[in-house]
Amino acid sequence: MQQRHAQLAPMYASGAIGLGADGTVALRDASVVPLAQRGGLNALVAAENADRAALYREIARANQHPEWEAEVRRTFAQRWIDRAQAGWWVQRGGAWVKK
């Protein structure tokens, strides 16, 4: 995830992707990415979201409470949104807003 972040950061800055309120990375505006690069971006986003889902699940299991997965997801989502850089897009109250 850390290595992938270097590839995703410019996409956050461009507004192509944003941080979802559900703890995922979402494709927000594909039109800012050249058509030839969209497939690669979709693959990066899918890999990031798969790793995030695994992270949430493993944290809940490590605490011996797999039923906490949804709460772990919400907690991480809020922290990532709070720590997002100025200019990145985040979901708040169901709407996209530029931080």
Side-chain angles (χ1 to χ4, degrees):
M1 286 176 66
Q2 188 174 21
Q3 291 174 344
R4 191 179 307 114
H5 180 73
Q7 295 174 288
L8 291 173
M11 297 295 112
Y12 287 118
S14 73
I17 61 175
L19 294 169
D22 63 353
T24 62
V25 175
L27 186 61
R28 200 193 68 77
D29 185 1
S31 70
V32 301
V33 178
L35 185 58
Q37 296 175 2
R38 289 182 193 165
L41 177 58
N42 284 331
L44 281 173
V45 168
E48 179 68 15
N49 286 335
D51 286 349
R52 286 179 179 218
L55 174 67
Y56 306 144
R57 186 174 46 256
E58 290 307 313
I59 289 172
R61 284 184 187 166
N63 285 287
Q64 300 178 352
H65 285 280
E67 72 276 9
W68 290 357
E69 186 178 335
E71 184 61 32
V72 170
R73 176 182 289 272
R74 281 190 297 274
T75 299
F76 269 83
Q78 190 57 53
R79 290 186 61 93
W80 275 326
I81 287 171
D82 290 346
R83 292 180 177 188
Q85 294 180 12
W88 288 12
W89 289 86
V90 299
Q91 277 186 327
R92 292 199 191 266
W96 287 105
V97 295
K98 196 170 190 177
K99 191 162 179 196

